[in-house]
Amino acid sequence: MQSVFDGHNDVLLRLWHHAREGADPIAEFKDGISTGHIDGPRARAGGLIGGLCAIYIPSGDLVFADPDSNGHYSTPLSAPLERAPSLDIALEMAAIALRLDRAGAWKLCRSTAEIRDCIEKGVFAAVMHMEGCEAIDSDLAALETFYAAGLRSLGPVWSRNNVFAHGVPFAFPSSPDTGPGLTDAGFALVRECNRLGIVVDLAHITEKGFWDVAKTSDQPLVASHSNAHALTPVARNLTDKQLDAIKESRGIVGLNYATTMLREDARSDIDTPIEDMVRHVDYLVGRVGIDCVGLGSDFDGATIPQEITDAAGNQNLIVALRKAGYAETDLVKLCRENWLRILASAWKEDSGTSAS
Ligand SMILES: [Zn+2]
């Protein structure tokens, strides 16, 4: 079994939804549940030793557009969200992350040394991520506060616009060049993330925003859960030019398990073969090299292939990759070491400096 540290999941969103219905998030994660994708027992069974766990504010108005007779679709961007209610929800999700840590259900990690310690002890290594910064004010006071609470990674924008950036819609086929990029506040956010040592994630941002971050950030470029546009031309996937920039920065692209981002026809369909996942890994590795590809499952946030089903089935992908010719040394990089290198770099562990 290869231990996997994964670049993106939405388990906090599921735990938050269930907590609102009266469930106990600690028991749900510790003891397991039959729905969703990640909990302690299923993560252990599938060798999922940790990952970036997103704080994400749901868009109540989001309804995915039906495909036309050609299978094409274009879901309009969701409406921007108000900050105050978004902050409330973000605080609730952060609290769940902190309570899981205090209860020993997982460890909220702030360094790669802590992640490696978790791998050794068999404790789920969670890194607090924010997917879309609606909870952050343009003066970045909340950023400072969330950093103190453990936030170590963020995507400035989800697939809706906010004060920092413009997001890409869920559209097929579509270029990712769908609108403007970072705002002035967005540029300031990226610079502050660089200063503090917070990963800047390019998933869900427009192509213009991608280039804005590329020219501003001092970190390797990170697209935590995106695939190859050349194979599945949805707006959320990365063009060859974007992948080349990730390679040049020694960054990372994390394979998204969402069937809409894997299939040639971009359909939401659990009956999607693992071969489609391998095809994207092959393409990404061919384009950016074995050192710049990781996994970014989108567990608990997407419709994924039935052959994986949930975190317990994660090794089925590894088995398929092995069968496709990947050596164990390659799999170690794909499964965890590339992500750990990126985190160490963004968190400035190599330089021995720390943010004040
Ligand atoms: Zn996402």
Side-chain angles (χ1 to χ4, degrees):
M1 173 142 34
Q2 280 291 352
S3 299
V4 172
F5 182 89
D6 184 275
H8 187 82
N9 72 68
D10 285 299
V11 68
L12 282 173
L13 175 65
R14 192 197 77 221
L15 293 171
W16 174 81
H17 273 303
H18 289 177
R20 288 207 146 185
E21 294 158 6
D24 173 3
I26 294 166
E28 178 167 328
F29 193 86
K30 260 190 170 169
D31 304 338
I33 184 175
S34 58
T35 58
H37 295 152
I38 297 180
D39 51 44
R42 284 184 290 177
R44 273 192 297 282
L48 182 68
I49 51 93
L52 279 81
C53 301
I55 290 172
Y56 162 76
I57 316 303
S59 263
D61 66 337
L62 178 67
V63 179
F64 285 94
D66 286 328
D68 66 16
S69 55
N70 295 314
H72 298 174
Y73 56 84
S74 183
T75 301
L77 286 177
S78 292
L81 299 180
E82 298 284 332
R83 196 176 87 82
S86 301
L87 177 59
D88 282 347
I89 294 171
L91 288 169
E92 288 166 17
M93 289 193 199
I96 291 173
L98 291 161
R99 286 175 184 146
L100 286 166
D101 179 90
R102 183 169 303 133
W106 74 19
K107 164 88 180 163
L108 197 53
C109 294
R110 294 168 171 82
S111 70
T112 56
E114 287 180 336
I115 296 173
R116 291 191 190 283
D117 191 47
C118 282
I119 296 173
E120 209 136 280
K121 293 179 175 148
V123 175
F124 190 90
V127 171
M128 193 191 288
H129 170 79
M130 193 173 272
E131 185 175 28
C133 288
E134 278 80 3
I136 309 279
D137 52 295
S138 52
D139 290 336
L140 307 180
L143 182 69
E144 196 73 46
T145 309
F146 277 103
Y147 178 84
L151 184 72
R152 289 296 179 275
S153 173
L154 62 78
V157 71
W158 187 68
S159 290
R160 67 191 164 218
N161 299 334
N162 64 23
V163 298
F164 299 110
H166 294 77
V168 284
F170 296 100
F172 169 75
S174 169
S175 153
D177 188 12
T178 58
L182 291 177
T183 64
D184 287 347
F187 280 106
L189 173 68
V190 171
R191 285 191 292 268
E192 187 64 358
C193 285
N194 285 174
R195 190 184 73 84
L196 288 168
I198 297 176
V199 172
V200 178
D201 182 10
L202 295 156
H204 291 281
I205 204 166
T206 58
E207 183 172 359
K208 283 200 174 63
F210 180 101
W211 298 119
D212 284 343
V213 172
K215 73 180 183 205
T216 307
S217 180
D218 63 9
Q219 297 170 6
L221 299 180
V222 172
S224 66
H225 57 304
S226 296
N227 296 336
H229 194 271
L231 300 184
T232 307
V234 290
R236 272 279 285 111
N237 281 343
L238 298 163
T239 64
D240 286 348
K241 211 174 146 207
Q242 289 176 301
L243 291 171
D244 292 347
I246 287 175
K247 178 184 184 178
E248 200 168 314
S249 74
R250 286 205 81 224
I252 195 165
V253 49
L255 180 80
N256 194 319
Y257 298 5
T259 70
T260 51
M261 294 169 70
L262 289 168
R263 297 171 62 93
E264 273 176 10
D265 61 10
R267 272 197 359 238
S268 178
D269 184 353
I270 59 169
D271 191 13
T272 296
I274 274 187
E275 283 68 36
D276 281 2
M277 304 173 82
V278 175
R279 209 162 52 93
H280 273 273
V281 171
D282 284 346
Y283 188 91
L284 294 172
V285 168
R287 195 83 201 180
V288 304
I290 193 72
D291 292 322
C292 297
V293 180
L295 302 179
S297 64
D298 219 345
F299 277 140
D300 283 312
T303 299
I304 67 170
Q306 195 166 23
E307 287 182 68
I308 302 288
T309 301
D310 57 21
N314 208 30
Q315 290 295 314
N316 295 343
L317 171 62
I318 315 307
V319 169
L321 289 170
R322 201 173 277 130
K323 215 181 278 176
Y326 288 88
E328 293 310 307
T329 47
D330 295 338
L331 292 175
V332 166
K333 290 180 178 182
L334 285 174
C335 289
R336 59 184 181 278
E337 286 305 320
N338 290 341
W339 265 117
L340 291 178
R341 172 180 62 77
I342 291 292
L343 296 180
S345 171
W347 295 347
K348 305 179 194 303
E349 293 179 355
D350 299 338
S351 62
T353 57
S354 61
S356 57

